[in-house]
Amino acid sequence: MRSVATGLILKRKLADFFYTCSRRRVLGRFSSSSFGTVDPRKSNGRGGGEKEVPHLPVLIVGAGPVGLILSILLTKLGVKCSVLEKSVVFSRHPQAHFINNRTMELFRKLDGLAEEIQSLEPPVDLWRRFIYCTSLSGPVFGSVDHMKPQDFDKTVSPISVAHFSQYKLMNLLLQRLEKLGFSVCSPSEIEGSIWDRKILMGHECISIHPTNEGLKVGTSYLKEGKMEEREFHCSILVGSDGARSTVRKLVDIDMKGERNLQRLVSVHFLSKDLGQYLLHERPGMLFFIFNPDAIGVLVAHDLDQGEFVLQIPYYSPQQKIEDFSFKDTFNLIQVCEQIILKLVGWKLVDVQVLDIKPWVMHAEVAEKYVSHNNRVILVGDAAHRFPPAGGFGMNTGIQDAHNLAWKISSMLSGIASPSIIQTYEMERRPIAIYNTSLSVENFRAAMSVPAALGLDPAIANSVHRVINSSLCSILPPSLQKFALEGIFSIGRAQLSELILNENNPLGSLRLSRLKKIFDEGKSLQLQFPAEDLGFCYKEGALVAECGEKIWESEASSVHKRDLKPYIPCAKPGCRLPHMLINALKESSAKASFSTLDLISGDKIEFLLIIAPIKGSYRLARASMMVAKEFDVPLKVCIIWPKGSSDKNVNSSEKELEPWKNFIDVEEAVKPTSKSWWELCQMSSNEVILVRPDEHIAWRTESNSIADDLLELKRVFSLMLGHGKFLL
Ligand SMILES: Cc1cc2nc3c(=O)[nH]c(=O)nc-3n(C[C@H](O)[C@H](O)[C@H](O)COP(=O)(O)OP(=O)(O)OC[C@H]3O[C@@H](n4cnc5c(N)ncnc54)[C@H](O)[C@@H]3O)c2cc1C
């Protein structure tokens, strides 16, 4: 029988052999066949095609929030890219406004974007509530506060959620892109030889063809009244072109889920008078208004500036968008003003309608996120579209971009294999599927309020289906519309004060049902801490301990909306938990910072977190050695218990010799708080390896490994997609 030592040497030799082969194969594959003969790392932004076609390592289609964030992240990580945008101007329709905790954490790393949003957003007391009422000046059924004390105490995150309109966010993103050297160009402005760092307005992506060198992307644009076409070559094309994604259709990816949950008209308007009234009388973010004349949801984007969006349900084909938006400006304002008047409860004299936009609510996720040999990738609404209930749409898209950026950068710089792009789909698609069903549950919860008032939307939809049925479709459209509106107005009569009062037995029953919904937290919620900070990847660029599974399969929870708190967790796939720490050996005046700040947003760098104990130092030395072999930047962080600054902490330098890229920190916790290891539910001889996107890739007991170097080669190989490691 072979000795254990001989067995291990043999394993290591096999592993070395496999690793060298797989790395050669991977790099060879990257620079030849599937990735073409053009090496995007050497691209100068010109040539590369059969004729003089601009070549870009990454071309992004769609300059919405997700496309812009991706271009910032890629540029910071050294990847050349440009963005195609079919519109000639950026939309000013506010749409998204709730920025969740995880997105704000990512924004902290974009040159102070989070702090700038906090300085510009309305004060939290003006938007922390959802208000349910008969009109903005009429009786209030309920008022729900969505902020908790822990949202402000920075225990689970260094930052809180925000309320900031999408178009204002876009402006801040464009400012950051300008600082990174981007320019926004109209079709007539873009002749020239430099193609990267451009936002090419008025360019619609119309075709995608694989070539030997990557992808040829066709665009059309209007120049001097004539449609013209321009081609681009790229190694990677990212479709961030929204819910009706052309990229998705061009590469034949289907969506799966529920369609047409609800049709709505979104009216963007200004009224300083309304803003000032609500600011003083009943400040809130969302106002759900139900009365016999109209039903709608008013989103207060900014009370001080009097900026609002009104969402009104509409039923096609009987109701048409033209019913709300006549071409004639006078009529357009009149129709909207009438609806606003019915919901507000008094005549506002300063309403200025800016825009009217129909939209349809779907709950769908793309069947694939990646196609064409890892070259075409979907992000944001192009990959998933959910009901906005809970504000997950843009947030999920921005977090897609964050997951993808370091993977593209690692692949293009040769650190990772092209297959790492597959891990983007493995990690992000399940999150979108989960967030879709959570948003549908939220949407249904929002509908529980009108249902309790006797206005069951399911009944409204059934009535609509009957009117659309073959039986009624023989009626002239005007009669169908009349019938529909007649039935709806009878339904809305349930909301009259005659019925809805404590003295009326039916009204009193409905009001008590409503109170129960609010008291039990069963109405629409704004915050989902367990999903916001606690979402976790189950498979992807993650490594389980040898022979083990990271996650045992769990029975999926039936009720996703059961409000669960965020519980810090340091298993592979989870976001690195936040804790305040102080750097040791730095000036004592230096402020505490978050463990999340140990990861740089400006470069690819992995992080190994250890306690100051022998076995973990040994593993850290081996990690540094293997990282060097893999050309992977790695930093080690040694977390010391609170009070270590008083002692002479100098063992790390000796223990980690000759490696210099390490930092000693101490916990900045209150005496009653948990230590880092307790917070992460780990023993102090465990170590964790954190990826550039702040998610944990691997965790192990430092004293349980037989051969540190062999184990670390396995870890880096698997995490970076260099094939299955032979053991
Ligand atoms: C009423 C409402 C409220 C919402 N509230 C929230 C919220 O509070 N929080 C939240 O997280 N989300 C919210 N959302 C969702 C959020 O608005 C979207 O998820 C977000 O806009 C998606 O961003 P995106 O960049 O993926 O796509 P988009 O914003 O749709 O941008 C796509 C861009 O691609 C361009 N484009 C399309 N086709 C092409 C083409 N062929 N060639 C070139 N360019 C193209 C489009 O012109 C557009 O500029 C809300 C949505 C609605 C409707």
Side-chain angles (χ1 to χ4, degrees):
M1 221 167 117
R2 277 197 325 243
S3 73
V4 175
T6 328
L8 283 174
I9 291 167
L10 193 68
K11 268 187 188 171
R12 186 186 301 176
K13 282 195 171 153
L14 257 175
D16 283 344
F17 170 76
F18 175 78
Y19 167 66
T20 316
C21 295
S22 92
R23 183 131 167 103
R24 266 196 216 123
R25 204 172 57 229
V26 161
L27 292 179
R29 204 167 29 170
F30 167 71
S31 55
S32 61
S33 60
S34 76
F35 262 82
T37 48
V38 173
D39 183 343
R41 290 169 292 183
K42 296 184 188 135
S43 164
N44 59 7
R46 253 196 104 65
E50 303 90 42
K51 43 183 186 172
E52 284 290 283
V53 177
H55 182 97
L56 284 154
V58 179
L59 190 59
I60 298 168
V61 180
V66 177
L68 294 190
I69 291 280
L70 183 65
S71 54
I72 295 177
L73 294 172
L74 287 175
T75 306
K76 277 172 157 287
L77 297 177
V79 178
K80 287 184 174 179
C81 60
S82 274
V83 188
L84 303 174
E85 169 54 50
K86 76 173 177 189
S87 303
V88 283
V89 288
F90 292 101
S91 167
R92 273 189 64 88
H93 204 89
Q95 258 181 235
H97 52 96
F98 178 65
I99 306 180
N100 75 11
N101 209 164
R102 183 61 188 144
T103 302
M104 285 296 277
E105 288 185 350
L106 310 184
F107 285 177
R108 284 176 75 241
K109 305 243 171 120
L110 301 185
D111 305 317
L113 178 60
E115 291 74 10
E116 198 173 349
I117 290 172
Q118 284 183 321
S119 71
L120 297 172
E121 70 174 336
V124 64
D125 285 343
L126 298 189
W127 54 264
R128 57 194 293 163
R129 291 182 171 278
F130 290 177
I131 293 170
Y132 299 79
C133 50
T134 55
S135 75
L136 293 178
S137 51
V140 171
F141 300 126
S143 165
V144 183
D145 185 354
H146 293 280
M147 299 299 283
K148 309 257 170 331
Q150 58 267 34
D151 293 320
F152 305 101
D153 66 11
K154 302 197 173 176
T155 309
V156 294
S157 174
I159 196 127
S160 182
V161 299
H163 171 52
F164 196 61
S165 309
Q166 186 167 327
Y167 77 91
K168 294 182 184 168
L169 170 66
M170 295 276 293
N171 287 342
L172 300 187
L173 298 179
L174 288 166
Q175 285 170 14
R176 266 141 193 94
L177 282 164
E178 204 180 317
K179 282 200 191 131
L180 291 170
F182 272 76
S183 48
V184 178
C185 312
S186 69
S188 57
E189 287 170 338
I190 56 169
E191 304 305 341
S193 57
I194 309 292
W195 287 95
D196 71 309
R197 302 190 190 205
K198 296 262 187 289
I199 300 173
L200 302 165
M201 302 302 287
H203 277 67
E204 179 168 6
C205 169
I206 52 169
S207 65
I208 302 169
H209 296 289
T211 67
N212 288 337
E213 299 171 343
L215 298 165
K216 197 196 280 178
V217 181
T219 65
S220 69
Y221 61 97
L222 191 66
K223 193 174 173 192
E224 289 154 14
K226 257 179 50 201
M227 282 318 283
E228 305 218 353
E229 293 193 1
R230 176 177 276 130
E231 282 183 342
F232 294 86
H233 262 120
C234 62
S235 297
I236 294 174
L237 181 80
V238 182
S240 56
D241 51 343
R244 281 178 285 173
S245 170
T246 305
V247 171
R248 191 182 64 226
K249 287 174 198 147
L250 288 172
V251 298
D252 260 340
I253 297 180
D254 286 333
M255 297 294 271
K256 223 176 149 182
E258 277 181 85
R259 293 183 62 87
N260 303 326
L261 291 174
Q262 174 103 58
R263 280 176 198 278
L264 292 121
V265 181
S266 182
V267 183
H268 180 200
F269 71 95
L270 300 176
S271 167
K272 276 254 177 206
D273 287 353
L274 181 59
Q276 289 307 307
Y277 166 78
L278 291 174
L279 192 144
H280 293 109
E281 299 299 324
R282 47 174 83 161
M285 178 198 268
L286 298 188
F287 296 84
F288 297 81
I289 312 166
F290 308 95
N291 68 46
D293 298 321
I295 288 171
V297 181
L298 185 76
V299 186
H301 277 262
D302 192 323
L303 290 179
D304 195 37
Q305 292 171 9
E307 183 169 19
F308 299 93
V309 169
L310 178 63
Q311 304 287 359
I312 317 161
Y314 91 103
Y315 294 82
S316 74
Q318 292 80 15
Q319 292 178 321
K320 296 202 164 39
I321 185 64
E322 297 80 59
D323 296 349
F324 302 90
S325 62
F326 291 119
K327 288 268 170 349
D328 165 347
T329 325
F330 178 71
N331 274 335
L332 178 145
I333 291 174
Q334 229 184 22
V335 170
C336 294
E337 265 184 1
Q338 275 167 12
I339 299 169
I340 294 166
L341 169 80
K342 287 174 188 168
L343 293 167
V344 169
W346 77 94
K347 182 149 174 64
L348 290 166
V349 288
D350 68 341
V351 173
Q352 191 191 346
V353 176
L354 302 178
D355 189 16
I356 297 176
K357 218 173 132 177
W359 61 282
V360 187
M361 204 186 277
H362 305 287
E364 292 183 306
V365 178
E367 289 197 312
K368 282 197 298 179
Y369 276 23
V370 177
S371 81
H372 285 62
N373 223 352
N374 304 318
R375 288 184 184 283
V376 181
I377 307 165
L378 302 179
V379 288
D381 275 16
H384 42 72
R385 38 196 198 183
F386 340 127
F392 278 102
M394 180 182 75
N395 287 301
T396 307
I398 287 172
Q399 291 159 29
D400 291 342
H402 189 242
N403 181 289
L404 182 62
W406 76 271
K407 292 177 180 173
I408 291 183
S409 169
S410 305
M411 182 193 67
L412 292 181
S413 63
I415 293 174
S417 132
S419 69
I420 197 160
I421 300 298
Q422 291 291 330
T423 70
Y424 160 70
E425 175 178 313
M426 288 159 83
E427 293 178 359
R428 294 303 304 171
R429 197 168 167 270
I431 300 294
I433 292 173
Y434 188 95
N435 287 350
T436 308
S437 47
L438 180 59
S439 305
V440 171
E441 279 191 25
N442 286 335
F443 171 63
R444 302 227 155 100
M447 294 301 122
S448 68
V449 171
L453 288 169
L455 281 178
D456 194 338
I459 297 176
N461 288 336
S462 313
V463 167
H464 186 222
R465 263 197 305 276
V466 171
I467 293 187
N468 277 343
S469 68
S470 48
L471 187 69
C472 290
S473 61
I474 51 168
L475 296 175
S478 56
L479 213 56
Q480 286 184 34
K481 186 176 169 188
F482 183 74
L484 187 79
E485 284 176 357
I487 295 170
F488 284 174
S489 68
I490 294 171
R492 285 196 304 267
Q494 306 285 321
L495 302 168
S496 79
E497 275 177 45
L498 272 177
I499 300 182
L500 220 51
N501 70 67
E502 292 294 353
N503 299 327
N504 179 314
L506 182 61
S508 154
L509 180 73
R510 285 179 177 167
L511 290 172
S512 71
R513 266 197 220 139
L514 211 53
K515 186 172 179 309
K516 194 162 179 278
I517 290 175
F518 296 134
D519 291 349
E520 292 177 358
K522 297 227 165 104
S523 59
L524 177 66
Q525 296 299 310
L526 180 66
Q527 294 221 59
F528 296 88
E531 286 76 17
D532 180 341
L533 295 177
F535 72 86
C536 182
Y537 306 134
K538 302 281 159 97
E539 54 171 358
L542 313 170
V543 187
E545 287 201 63
C546 219
E548 304 221 342
K549 278 189 182 166
I550 300 175
W551 295 91
E552 294 306 325
S553 52
E554 296 162 9
S556 65
S557 124
V558 183
H559 293 294
K560 297 192 165 58
R561 247 178 55 83
D562 294 343
L563 286 185
K564 288 163 282 185
Y566 161 71
I567 297 171
C569 176
K571 278 191 184 185
C574 295
R575 151 194 169 275
L576 176 70
H578 151 80
M579 175 186 260
L580 285 179
I581 48 177
N582 293 315
L584 291 171
K585 296 187 196 155
E586 304 252 335
S587 105
S588 55
K590 196 155 185 243
S592 305
F593 59 97
S594 168
T595 41
L596 295 165
D597 297 332
L598 291 164
I599 301 280
S600 163
D602 295 342
K603 58 181 177 192
I604 296 287
E605 190 176 61
F606 291 79
L607 174 77
L608 190 79
I609 299 185
I610 65 170
I613 55 176
K614 279 273 174 215
S616 299
Y617 277 127
R618 196 196 63 237
L619 196 68
R621 282 196 307 275
S623 305
M624 292 288 210
M625 208 178 285
V626 173
K628 186 162 187 258
E629 201 178 307
F630 276 68
D631 260 342
V632 175
L634 175 75
K635 183 162 81 182
V636 173
C637 170
I638 307 100
I639 300 193
W640 295 76
K642 187 172 172 66
S644 300
S645 58
D646 308 337
K647 298 173 198 138
N648 188 11
V649 171
N650 56 13
S651 53
S652 300
E653 203 169 323
K654 228 167 77 210
E655 291 284 352
L656 294 176
E657 190 80 58
W659 309 103
K660 299 281 178 228
N661 196 15
F662 66 88
I663 176 169
D664 283 297
V665 301
E666 70 167 341
E667 299 163 340
V669 291
K670 296 183 203 121
T672 50
S673 314
K674 288 178 176 168
S675 76
W676 168 254
W677 312 99
E678 286 164 342
L679 178 87
C680 294
Q681 302 168 57
M682 296 196 296
S683 72
S684 61
N685 55 28
E686 282 183 273
V687 305
I688 51 177
L689 179 64
V690 190
R691 314 188 310 195
D693 62 352
E694 298 159 13
H695 280 255
I696 295 163
W698 176 63
R699 162 175 164 178
T700 196
E701 294 248 0
S702 58
N703 54 10
S704 70
I705 300 174
D707 184 329
D708 293 343
L709 288 177
L710 185 63
E711 175 63 359
L712 280 150
K713 284 179 185 180
R714 181 185 80 90
V715 170
F716 278 92
S717 281
L718 285 175
M719 181 175 67
L720 300 170
H722 294 308
K724 285 226 175 301
F725 198 79
L726 289 181
L727 270 181

